[in-house]
Amino acid sequence: QVVELISSAIGDLVQGIYYENSKSSEENCLTDDIGVSRWKEQVFLSHSALLAKSCQAAMELAKHSAEIQDMAFQYGKHMSMSHKLHSDLQPFVKKRSTDTMAFSLNSAPAILHQEFLGREAWLKQIRERCTAETPPHRCACVFQQLQEAIKAGKGVTSAVDLCRCHGNRALAALERFPPSEARDALANIVYAVTRFP
């Protein structure tokens, strides 16, 4: 059972990374209109499956019930989703960020911004700021403008809310385990990735 879980997790990881790489042949290229639900599926494959299934496998090795194994899976899944959202948010929430190219047009804040704005309006926003003729020395300026546009919309606040939502679901899964130092340590990881300035 454990070998099957880890094998399937590695399969998910390879599939997720292959998809990410196939869509990133050009730096900061746009994916298709994936929306937040499709984004979550992709993040699960490339980031969350390995941790979620490893947590489940650990409970299987310790001979816990199927219910406890599922709670461990849920913790790993939602904690990993929170971590990915936290990572995607950093270029937008840091008080001092000099690296304007650090964010991806396919990060959670950008995907959520697109959902609120509409695909066509988002593409128009990009076209207005960045054309094929944009000289390399202006790229930083262009991405800074896009970053400010995303900050001005609802994408960033929605990504923060989504990060905290997944964090709360991870904590709810932990509540099914008896109090211990280990549980407290796992909860602290969640608190660390759901705290923003």
Side-chain angles (χ1 to χ4, degrees), residues 51-70:
L51 181 60
K53 291 180 180 180
S54 295
C55 290
Q56 181 181 351
M59 295 300 99
E60 168 70 26
L61 285 172
K63 302 194 183 306
H64 284 289
S65 67
E67 181 185 0
I68 293 298
Q69 290 179 40
D70 183 59

Side-chain angles (χ1 to χ4, degrees), residues 98-101 103 134-147:
T98 55
D99 187 5
T100 56
M101 296 291 284
F103 83 98
T134 302
H137 68 273
R138 284 201 60 233
C139 282
C141 179
V142 167
F143 272 87
Q144 187 172 17
Q145 291 173 19
L146 288 172
Q147 195 170 20

